[in-house]
Amino acid sequence: MNYKYFDNAATTRVKAEVLQAYNDACNEFFNPSSLYTPSLSVKNKIEMARESILRYLGGANKSTFIFTSCATESNNAVLRNCIKRKDKKYIISAGEHSSTYNTAKAMINEGYNIDFAPLNEDGSVNQEVLFSMIDRNTDFVSLIHVSNETGAINDIKYIAKRCKQINPNILIHSDGVQALHKIKLNMVNLGVDFYTISSHKINGVKGIAGLYIANPNKFTPFIYGGGQEMNLRGGTENFPAVMAFSKAINLPIMEYDTVRELKQTLLDNITVPYKLISTDKCVPNIISLCFKDLRGETLVHMLEVDGFLIGTGSACNSKNTANRVLTEIGVNQDYILGAIRISFETDCTKQDMIDLAYAINKNVELYYSKTKK
Amino acid sequence: MEQVILIRFSEIHLKGKNKGYFLKLLYTNIKTALKEYKKVITPIQNRVVVSDYDVDDEDMIIREIKKVFGVYSVSVASVIPSTIEDITDFCAKLDISGSFKVDCNRADKTFPIKSNQMAADMGGVILDHCPNAYVDVRKPETVVHIDIRENGKTYIFDKIIYTYGGMPLGEYRDGLLLLSGGIDSPVAGFQMAKRGLRQDILHFDSYPYTSPQAREKVISLAKQIKNYIGCRYMYIVSMSKLQEEFHLHCKEEYAITLLRRAMIKVATILCERYNYKTIITGESLGQVASQTIESITVTNSMAGNYPILRPLISFNKDEIIKVAQEINTYETSILPYEDCCTVFLPQNPVIKPKIKIAEIEETHIPLSELIQKAIDEIIVIEL
């Protein structure tokens, strides 16, 4: 079946030129750590890719960028690097991606003092409460840049600045997986110490992500090995994926106006009542919507039958566990199980959005007719 | 010295005239379980011997044999000719320290020394050669088992690994197991397989109210129990339409009762069509509203002439979980994908339903038609 894809926050289609870069690199199979010339060529290309990504990110003077296997690894590496003392305080937001959130949960069980900053209604962090939580004993703050659930943007630049005013030694990490290609990034400007990005959310391949590190002296490896990645991350480099990543990151950034218009088209054409979580302050390519007394998961399957693939805000299970971030936001119980997430790129048309809206209208009504008495 | 795996049987020796049939079944099942391994399987009187296998495969082979019902225990044994000299020589070379005893079983009645005497004699030999060994017949650290068989060979071993026992899985797939995705039903299948009942699987799903992941979960459960229950086919029947109709036109508190009755009806139709003789469910008395004696009565009445076997009826939840962990289905069962029953869950399901009321409720919808339609859309998966 030829599906219309509206789940780009989950993953994106690999662009042809990215795949080409990947395939080309597969022919150069040499281990970059070996001593012969073909290996050196591979090594040089990895370094050029690294430079290209660092340049794109606008890195600081001493900064570097390491390739990792996935954003989950990057986030784990940062938390394990920055949270080391049991007498210090650490803060992450309640809206973090599971890769940060569950790592923090595990570390709380190990005895570390990690607090969760609460969220606003759109899923961004409540700044006032966050600042009130920080004191001179706080060593580390980790905040998602753009919420993968709602698209809400955290003002990392302002938050980092304020945090460092309160405590100059504080280290700031931001998970920028959903921000990359959606917001123009400059690491110096943002003022972060660590920043996570991933390739497969920007039309790259899976199996490669990375971590921006402002000062490598403040980083100890999460994975030890044969000295790869400047001794900061062991493991034979995934050369084809590195080349594909470097290609993908240099693809054009999202056109805001076009995407905003597409979002508006969709919302204008949904006639069944819904609750919109993603406000105008969110990135327009992620739309979180809730329908009353409906199961988002069922709507996902119904839309699939009609040829539309969307994400669900909450994969409900027999225990009806609602989406964690939407729960933190305080979405009403009647709505929370009916959450869906629509995320798209500029490759879809207004007509696609209208078609999707109609399919939503039809299936929500169908759902109600079958489940309500 | 040759190492073999010695397999003993459970209650087959009680089977009188049918013993030969059951032995043949067991032998075939052992052969099937070990088909991936290099080995020679030889039946001897009251034992099966696996020999000529790759020593590196030993643990895996034992693991597979443990899944064969009708096997009572397994030992890795050394084989020597059944002569007094050979056995004495072997015992003299044993390196035993601490407490021990010798246990002798003289199946070969032509062997000149009786079991007790042989055990005492060999104990003496070991004591002579192992300065740090002493005899303790009550709680020995080591037991030297000497099994003198009718084929002129003696098997000597120190460990007995007990297995599930039971009866060998039958030739024909006589049972239809209702597999949900929860913890109980795979265990129910296992328990009945232990009594020799080979089964196929019937699963009910509710797409789009449940995920394809929920279905995948049940398929992987089916694959996990395949080696135990000997299944070949899994049937998937969608209950979505029926659930919608029950929800819209019948008493809310009867939704689950009616659904379960419909499930049993579907199962009996499949029994008839594919020649299954019985239906197996994972019900445990009183576990949930639909498993009270009244609920069971009301669902049971749909089964017609087919017996519904409920091997877990007297099990506590923790006992079920223990078996599920043992057969490695627990971790899959607790994956958080919704199964068939929870979508149109009524607030207050009826605890003591009545057949009369259920039958009246069923007249509010075209039940036979909907059931027929569900069966027409059956999906059959070869596992």
Side-chain angles (χ1 to χ4, degrees), chain A residues 165-363:
Chain A
Q165 277 169 0
I166 302 169
N167 177 3
N169 294 324
I170 212 163
L171 291 173
I172 308 282
H173 166 242
S174 183
D175 173 351
V177 167
Q178 298 290 350
L180 186 62
H181 272 196
K182 312 299 178 300
I183 294 176
K184 195 164 167 26
L185 295 173
N186 184 292
M187 294 298 122
V188 177
N189 197 340
L190 280 183
V192 292
D193 298 284
F194 302 97
Y195 196 84
T196 297
I197 59 171
S198 178
S199 148
H200 77 101
K201 310 280 188 185
I202 54 159
N203 308 106
V205 297
K206 289 158 193 71
I208 189 116
L211 181 65
Y212 165 80
I213 303 171
N215 183 354
N217 293 332
K218 290 185 182 168
F219 185 81
T220 48
F222 179 60
I223 294 176
Y224 288 91
Q228 292 89 347
E229 300 291 293
M230 300 85 65
N231 269 327
L232 298 175
R233 197 265 184 191
T236 299
E237 296 87 339
N238 187 353
F239 174 60
V242 165
M243 297 313 285
F245 195 3
S246 146
K247 190 77 180 174
I249 206 166
N250 287 303
L251 292 170
I253 188 168
M254 179 177 85
E255 291 165 43
Y256 238 74
D257 292 342
T258 318
V259 173
R260 187 167 282 146
E261 235 175 277
L262 289 169
K263 174 180 177 180
Q264 205 48 52
T265 310
L266 176 77
L267 296 179
D268 288 347
N269 284 284
I270 299 179
T271 50
V272 286
Y274 62 85
K275 186 184 172 74
L276 180 66
I277 310 292
S278 308
T279 62
D280 287 345
K281 286 184 189 160
C282 300
V283 289
N285 61 308
I286 298 178
I287 307 171
S288 174
L289 287 178
C290 299
F291 298 94
K292 193 164 184 272
D293 298 330
L294 180 144
R295 280 165 187 256
E297 190 187 328
T298 304
L299 185 56
V300 167
H301 299 319
M302 293 170 100
L303 285 169
E304 180 182 339
V305 174
D306 283 352
F308 298 93
L309 301 180
I310 64 160
T312 164
S314 72
C316 39
N317 59 37
S318 49
K319 292 187 185 70
N320 280 352
T321 347
N323 179 285
R324 168 174 56 81
V325 174
L326 298 183
T327 308
E328 286 294 339
I329 289 172
V331 176
N332 191 304
Q333 271 303 315
D334 298 345
Y335 282 92
I336 204 158
L337 292 177
I340 57 168
R341 183 186 67 182
I342 294 157
S343 50
F344 51 95
E345 289 185 337
T346 38
D347 61 354
C348 63
T349 62
K350 272 192 180 176
Q351 190 55 48
D352 292 335
M353 295 318 247
I354 294 168
D355 293 346
L356 174 61
Y358 286 178
I360 289 173
N361 296 338
K362 180 192 109 183
N363 285 300

Side-chain angles (χ1 to χ4, degrees), chain A residues 36-78:
Chain A
Y36 26 80
T37 322
S39 290
L40 195 62
S41 153
V42 173
K43 176 123 188 103
N44 287 340
K45 283 179 183 165
I46 291 173
E47 291 316 314
M48 278 159 66
R50 191 191 315 284
E51 274 309 307
S52 149
I53 293 175
L54 202 53
R55 202 162 44 241
Y56 180 88
L57 293 175
N61 187 15
K62 286 181 187 161
S63 67
T64 190
F65 178 83
I66 60 170
F67 292 105
T68 60
S69 65
C70 56
T72 298
E73 184 199 321
S74 299
N75 289 343
N76 270 265
V78 172

Side-chain angles (χ1 to χ4, degrees), chain A residues 92-97 101 117-119 123 144 147-149 324-325 328:
Chain A
I92 72 165
S93 90
E96 293 305 297
H97 184 264
Y101 190 86
L119 305 179
I144 196 163
S147 167
N148 57 304
E149 298 287 354
R324 168 174 56 81
V325 174
E328 286 294 339

